Amino acid sequence: MSFSEPTAQGAADYRAAEPSGAVAAEIDAEVTQYFLVSARCGCFMQAARSLNVKATVLRKQLALLEEQLQRTLFQFQGSALTLTGEGQQLHAQLIARSHERKLPVVEQPLIRLAVAESILHDILGRDLVSLLRRNASVRLDILSIDSDMSLRAISADVVVWLGDPDSPLPGPSFAVTEPRALARLDYLPHIAKRYSRVATRPESVDDLEDFLLVQWQQDRQVESFRPWNALVDQRLAGVVQLHSYELMLEMIRCSACIGLLPQYMSRFDRGLIELPGLFGQPMQRQVWMAINAQSRDEAQVQMIVELIHSTFDERRDWFDI
């Protein structure tokens, strides 16, 4: 595809080179949409995202259109993508012919994804952002699960939650497919490396007396966290209780606090380090996923399910520590 300005022509020659209305009428409807959206966005990548197609497919179709018309339709002026004179003529003809200034929008199904807050932040967030970069037309409602109560209250197409290692119950309250275990997570106290030299790192529960402890409130009701919760509850000073997962992480990173986090956290944030051996009893949770029984076969739902499986497969070394 050529993006240089065509050579100047005389007025008569230029009019002769303009795409005729008959030629414009022969352009495929899909290619017409590719052309008009690209002209509107002024960016092939954004146009591809809006149309939910690969940028390579979009540009190939536009190159074939230029070859069919034997005209250069787009050009770059600096970093801006614009229409050439011939491209402007074709654009005007297509608009006049089909009134596509207001192209009908193909309604996308609304997909509701409910995810445990920590899993959304640590594991799925980045890949969900990548999905949205590739698909600007998706309709996605992302719900954060921060307690068993919110898990029972939500209604969604795909649900990812944290539960007991041996049972997915309590799970969603609506009809779902059989829950599948995605990963087993071990939890350990963590501290920022910059606040803990190797020689002075706590090696027993008693060594924690001189450290500020920070606790995410949602963890207070987790049965498997009983050793940690008991330690926090007996503190008369040096404890911060938080309802925000992100703020808890920030306090551990920046305030010399010690908090309970999944063991994979040192992979997610290289500035944090776990403190093993403080508790004799393991503290574990299981990541479970289930799909709404009524919408499980929908293509957009399956797209989200495949993304989740792919994300956990790619991070398998985070969990098999």
Side-chain angles (χ1 to χ4, degrees), residues 246-317:
E246 289 190 60
L247 183 55
M248 179 189 67
L249 289 178
E250 194 64 19
M251 293 196 70
I252 297 172
R253 293 187 186 109
C254 304
S255 301
C257 294
I258 292 178
L260 189 68
L261 296 171
Q263 191 172 1
Y264 65 68
M265 189 53 66
S266 58
R267 305 289 185 92
F268 177 79
D269 187 333
R270 300 291 183 179
L272 300 179
I273 187 169
E274 66 265 24
L275 301 172
L278 301 184
F279 299 95
Q281 180 179 343
M283 293 179 280
Q284 297 180 327
R285 302 204 81 186
Q286 184 82 41
V287 184
W288 298 94
M289 179 176 71
I291 309 168
N292 191 307
Q294 294 184 341
S295 58
R296 62 182 177 181
D297 295 326
E298 294 181 9
Q300 297 290 329
V301 172
Q302 287 300 314
M303 176 184 69
I304 296 297
V305 171
E306 291 172 7
L307 179 143
I308 293 170
H309 278 302
S310 175
T311 298
F312 275 86
D313 288 343
E314 289 176 0
R315 292 162 177 73
R316 187 55 52 191
D317 61 330

Side-chain angles (χ1 to χ4, degrees), residues 117 145-148 213-223 225 228-229 232-233 239-249 251 259-261 285:
E117 186 172 348
I145 302 172
D146 57 13
S147 66
D148 288 344
L213 304 185
V214 58
Q215 183 181 46
W216 188 32
Q217 283 282 59
Q218 282 69 22
D219 287 342
R220 290 181 59 82
Q221 306 304 318
V222 179
E223 179 62 25
F225 293 170
W228 171 261
N229 290 332
V232 172
D233 288 343
V239 172
V240 179
Q241 304 274 1
L242 294 168
H243 289 274
S244 168
Y245 182 74
E246 289 190 60
L247 183 55
M248 179 189 67
L249 289 178
M251 293 196 70
L260 189 68
L261 296 171
R285 302 204 81 186

Side-chain angles (χ1 to χ4, degrees), residues 91-156:
H91 185 269
Q93 291 171 3
L94 290 174
I95 291 294
R97 182 176 64 85
S98 58
H99 304 286
E100 293 210 37
R101 285 189 184 276
K102 296 183 179 179
L103 287 171
V105 177
V106 178
E107 182 178 0
Q108 297 294 318
L110 174 62
I111 307 302
R112 293 169 63 85
L113 169 64
V115 187
E117 186 172 348
S118 58
I119 300 301
L120 179 60
H121 180 274
D122 301 345
I123 299 175
L124 291 177
R126 187 176 68 181
D127 285 354
L128 284 171
V129 170
S130 296
L131 171 69
L132 299 180
R133 278 204 303 264
R134 298 191 303 269
N135 185 354
S137 64
V138 69
R139 291 179 67 206
L140 184 60
D141 190 0
I142 302 177
L143 310 173
S144 177
I145 302 172
D146 57 13
S147 66
D148 288 344
M149 183 179 297
S150 64
L151 172 61
R152 300 291 294 172
I154 57 95
S155 176

Side-chain angles (χ1 to χ4, degrees), residues 49-84:
R49 291 180 64 242
S50 177
L51 293 164
N52 192 22
V53 298
K54 293 183 178 179
T56 52
V57 172
L58 174 79
R59 298 188 69 162
K60 180 179 179 180
Q61 290 299 318
L62 293 178
L64 290 174
L65 176 61
E66 289 189 328
E67 183 178 338
Q68 173 189 344
L69 300 178
Q70 297 185 350
R71 303 289 184 268
T72 298
L73 303 176
F74 291 94
Q75 64 183 348
F76 281 107
Q77 293 183 340
S79 60
L81 179 69
T82 62
L83 292 171
T84 63

